[in-house]
């Protein structure tokens, strides 16, 4: 009798869990569904009444995508975003892994203070630093240049990356590195031949976050870049708002869908590292 009651309670819990998961899944994917459906309908169909979530079959069109793909500036903006994201991810991964190696495996005075300083920079909202960063960009002569984005993006993502990778490196057995040192390996050899390969899951997981952060970044890019040829995709998308006193939402949504393709590709390529690296880095920080 008692086992039947327990089984009945478990079944109720499962049903409630499925209902909640279904609701949350629908809420999560609904913006994506609306984004894709809107990109496949003519601009004039967006203002029909009553509004429709899905377009009529006869209204489906690829005209918005044809227009975006035919625009040469789309490829320029796309290339700018790729260059900024890839350089940021590669440079920040290398610097963050080096910092995490030093903080995770070496003992020296001021280690806790240095790590605390890195953590402190993570809690400062980025928008509050735009004015001093803009003054710094003027001093460095990087305003209205793609190089005005990359160094600042790298500086932004290094604290979080270091925090996550440090937790992973601390779990690497010291015996493994000591054995390498006994065989005559230098510190740099241990770093490049032992620590870097073993830390690849953590590096891959934070690189996904860094790529997303750089790829979708808008406020700083909109502040420091004015040249159309130097703009990244988020700024290019915002250029459709109010263009010719009319926002062509079909173009906006089609371009937004196209910008998701690299993000999906990156996630698919690194998904096997994503969960393991994220969990390992967060367990011991």
């Amino acid at each position: 009798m008692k086992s039947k009651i327990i089984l009945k309670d478990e079944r109720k819990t499962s049903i409630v869990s499925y209902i909640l998961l279904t609701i949350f899944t629908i809420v999560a994917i609904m913006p994506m569904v609306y984004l894709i459906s809107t990109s496949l309908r003519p601009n004039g169909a967006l203002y029909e009444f009553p509004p429709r979530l899905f377009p009529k079959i006869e209204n489906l069109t690829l005209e918005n995508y044809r227009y975006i793909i035919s625009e040469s500036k789309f490829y320029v903006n796309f290339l700018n975003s790729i260059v900024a994201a890839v350089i940021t991810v590669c440079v920040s991964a290398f610097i963050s892994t080096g910092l995490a190696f030093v903080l995770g495996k070496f003992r020296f005075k001021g280690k806790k203070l240095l790590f605390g300083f890195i953590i402190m920079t993570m809690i400062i909202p980025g928008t509050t630093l735009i004015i001093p960063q803009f003054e710094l960009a003027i001093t460095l002569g990087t305003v209205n240049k793609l190089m005005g984005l990359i160094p600042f993006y790298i500086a932004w993502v290094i604290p979080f990356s270091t925090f996550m990778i440090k937790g992973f490196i601390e779990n690497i057995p010291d015996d493994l590195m000591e054995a390498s040192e006994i065989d005559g390996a230098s510190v740099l050899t241990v770093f490049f031949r032992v620590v870097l390969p073993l830390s690849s899951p953590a590096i891959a997981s934070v690189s996904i976050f860094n790529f997303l952060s750089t790829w979708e970044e808008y406020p700083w890019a909109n502040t420091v870049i004015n040249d159309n040829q130097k703009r990244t995709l988020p700024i290019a998308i915002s250029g459709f708002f109010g263009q010719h006193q009319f926002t062509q939402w079909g173009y906006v949504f089609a371009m937004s869908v196209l910008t998701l393709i690299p993000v999906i590709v990156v996630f698919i390529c690194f998904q096997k590292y994503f969960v393991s690296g994220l969990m390992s880095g967060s367990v011991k920080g």
Side-chain angles (χ1 to χ4, degrees):
M1 183 67 182
K2 189 176 180 180
S3 61
K4 287 184 178 179
I5 294 175
I6 294 175
L7 187 62
K8 195 173 182 180
D9 290 340
E10 289 180 349
R11 188 174 299 172
K12 286 181 180 178
T13 304
S14 298
I15 292 173
V16 172
S17 299
Y18 279 118
I19 292 174
L20 290 176
L21 287 173
T22 303
I23 293 173
F24 291 145
T25 302
I26 292 173
V27 171
I29 67 172
M30 193 55 68
M32 184 67 69
V33 172
Y34 183 72
L35 174 73
I36 296 173
S37 69
T38 305
S39 69
L40 293 173
R41 68 179 77 182
N43 281 293
L46 297 177
Y47 303 99
E48 64 182 356
F49 186 84
R52 301 170 60 90
L53 179 60
F54 298 102
K56 298 177 181 176
I57 298 297
E58 58 268 25
N59 287 339
L60 287 176
T61 178
L62 295 175
E63 180 58 33
N64 297 320
Y65 290 96
R66 292 195 190 97
Y67 175 81
I68 296 298
I69 294 174
S70 65
E71 289 288 306
S72 59
K73 65 180 181 181
F74 168 73
Y75 299 99
V76 175
N77 301 141
F78 190 89
L79 182 62
N80 291 338
S81 290
I82 286 288
V83 170
V86 170
I87 294 178
T88 299
V89 167
C90 294
V91 175
S92 63
F94 181 75
I95 296 175
S96 300
T97 307
L99 283 172
F101 177 50
V102 172
L103 291 170
K105 290 298 181 183
F106 290 89
R107 295 180 181 177
F108 55 91
K109 289 184 178 179
K111 174 181 171 180
K112 291 184 178 179
L113 180 64
L114 177 61
F115 186 62
F117 181 76
I118 292 174
I119 296 297
M120 186 181 67
T121 59
M122 292 171 55
I123 62 176
I124 300 175
T127 51
T128 62
L129 300 175
I130 280 187
I131 292 177
Q133 286 176 349
F134 187 71
E135 293 179 348
L136 179 61
I138 293 175
T139 303
L140 297 175
T142 57
V143 174
N144 219 16
K145 297 178 181 176
L146 198 57
M147 284 305 297
L149 300 177
I150 296 171
F152 294 93
Y153 288 164
I154 293 173
W156 292 352
V157 301
I158 279 179
F160 171 75
S161 303
T162 304
F163 172 74
M164 296 298 294
I165 298 173
K166 174 178 174 290
F168 193 93
I169 289 179
E170 285 178 339
N171 291 327
I172 297 175
D174 293 336
D175 296 341
L176 197 60
M177 290 184 286
E178 289 172 0
S180 301
E181 291 173 354
I182 291 173
D183 291 337
S186 64
V187 174
L188 288 178
T189 303
V190 171
F191 175 70
F192 284 106
R193 298 290 182 86
V194 178
V195 175
L196 211 54
L198 291 177
S199 305
S200 57
I203 296 172
S205 63
V206 297
S207 293
I208 293 175
F209 281 112
N210 294 341
F211 185 87
L212 291 175
S213 301
T214 306
W215 189 257
E216 66 185 10
E217 198 282 328
Y218 177 82
W220 175 245
N222 191 40
T223 301
V224 78
I225 300 291
N226 293 320
D227 188 348
N228 288 332
Q229 296 297 316
K230 305 292 176 55
R231 288 180 170 176
T232 53
L233 284 173
I235 311 303
I237 293 174
S238 69
F240 286 107
F241 293 116
Q243 191 178 37
H244 309 302
Q245 299 181 340
F246 177 73
T247 300
Q248 301 198 355
W249 290 104
Y251 298 160
V252 172
F253 284 76
M255 194 167 183
S256 299
V257 172
L258 292 175
T259 61
L260 292 176
I261 294 175
V263 177
I264 295 172
V265 171
V266 169
F267 183 78
I268 291 174
C269 292
F270 294 99
Q271 62 175 333
K272 65 179 180 180
Y273 299 112
F274 187 69
V275 175
S276 61
L278 190 63
M279 293 299 295
S280 300
S282 59
V283 168
K284 189 176 182 181

